[in-house]
Amino acid sequence: MNIYICGQKHFAADVFTALKDAGHTIVGVSSPEFGSDGSSPDRLKALAEAAGVKWMKSGVLNENTIPEGVDLIVTAHSHDFVREPTRNKTTYGAIGYHPSLLPLHRGKDAIIWTIEKGDKITGGSVYWLNEVMDGGPIAAQEHVFVLPGDTPDLLWKRDLQPLGIKLLVQACNDIAQGRIIKKIQNEDIATVEPSIKKFKADAEAAAAAAAAAK
């Protein structure tokens, strides 16, 4: 398939390599221009340009800028929202990876909330993007165990990052072979958590207000 990748950092670069190794054609990527240090190129950008693949800055992708002939958009650690008009310019639409067992822990801080809430089991989900944040049908999903002493960073690096690469390749291979899996998420058990920074800021503000009212 002809795949367009939206993403950043190590994860997106590893997905780029894995999909290319699986026989798919990467026809373009979008990512930040620079990495976390603000000076060196983002890893996905550097990898794409070294391979002769066209790069576009994050936030610019839309129905007018997406290349012709894209079969599927893959988001990999992307904070861009790929809108319906953009998805409609492709053959199949767009899929993304979320590090939780959707519909649980929707939101950008899913792994942190997994640890905060003391979950013993979590996992990864590849889902079809729609207009609901992390709410589209599931294309592939698998669980992992949360071990005693796990931190968000450790859980991501040990289990959820490699699982994401595996599931994205699996889903892309399925789609290329005509196996279109779309399992609707159960909204009755869906959870959506806020940004952990916002949650803590709100909690601190509420505590300060309560103390001032005494």
Side-chain angles (χ1 to χ4, degrees):
M1 286 193 300
N2 291 331
I3 294 175
Y4 191 97
I5 298 177
C6 300
Q8 59 180 316
K9 301 182 180 178
H10 287 278
F11 183 57
D14 289 345
V15 168
F16 179 104
T17 299
L19 289 174
K20 199 166 177 290
D21 289 347
H24 302 287
T25 301
I26 311 302
V27 296
V29 306
S30 63
S31 76
E33 185 172 2
F34 299 108
S36 302
D37 62 7
S39 58
S40 58
D42 175 80
R43 289 181 178 274
L44 177 60
K45 178 180 186 289
L47 186 62
E49 291 184 337
V53 174
K54 187 176 180 180
W55 169 82
M56 187 186 305
K57 189 173 182 179
S58 292
V60 179
L61 180 69
N62 58 42
E63 65 272 24
N64 298 315
T65 59
I66 189 170
E68 294 294 327
V70 174
D71 292 314
L72 184 71
I73 299 170
V74 172
T75 63
H77 202 167
S78 170
H79 293 158
D80 283 343
F81 200 93
V82 182
R83 299 282 181 181
E84 183 176 10
T86 308
R87 302 194 303 268
N88 287 344
K89 291 293 292 288
T90 72
T91 306
Y92 297 106
I95 60 173
Y97 175 66
H98 190 72
S100 81
L101 291 173
L102 290 174
L104 303 179
H105 300 315
R106 292 175 180 170
K108 70 175 186 177
D109 286 336
I111 308 175
I112 297 174
W113 284 108
T114 293
I115 300 297
E116 287 282 329
K117 291 182 177 292
D119 294 355
K120 303 301 182 186
I121 297 175
T122 187
S125 307
V126 172
Y127 65 102
W128 293 89
L129 273 62
N130 61 15
E131 298 302 293
V132 178
M133 180 183 68
D134 304 327
I138 303 298
Q141 191 173 68
E142 192 172 312
H143 79 273
V144 300
F145 292 102
V146 182
L147 304 181
D150 269 350
T151 64
D153 188 58
L154 177 58
L155 183 57
W156 168 252
K157 289 180 178 177
R158 186 190 65 231
D159 289 324
L160 295 178
Q161 181 174 3
L163 178 60
I165 297 165
K166 169 189 168 183
L167 291 180
L168 282 170
V169 172
Q170 175 185 318
C172 288
N173 289 346
D174 283 343
I175 295 165
Q177 294 167 16
R179 294 194 295 270
I180 310 298
I181 300 170
K182 293 187 176 183
K183 183 179 179 181
I184 303 301
Q185 295 189 37
N186 185 347
E187 295 297 326
D188 292 338
I189 60 170
T191 62
V192 181
E193 281 89 22
S195 158
I196 194 70
K197 289 183 180 179
K198 182 179 186 304
F199 175 81
K200 290 183 176 180
D202 289 348
E204 289 174 1
K214 289 183 179 179

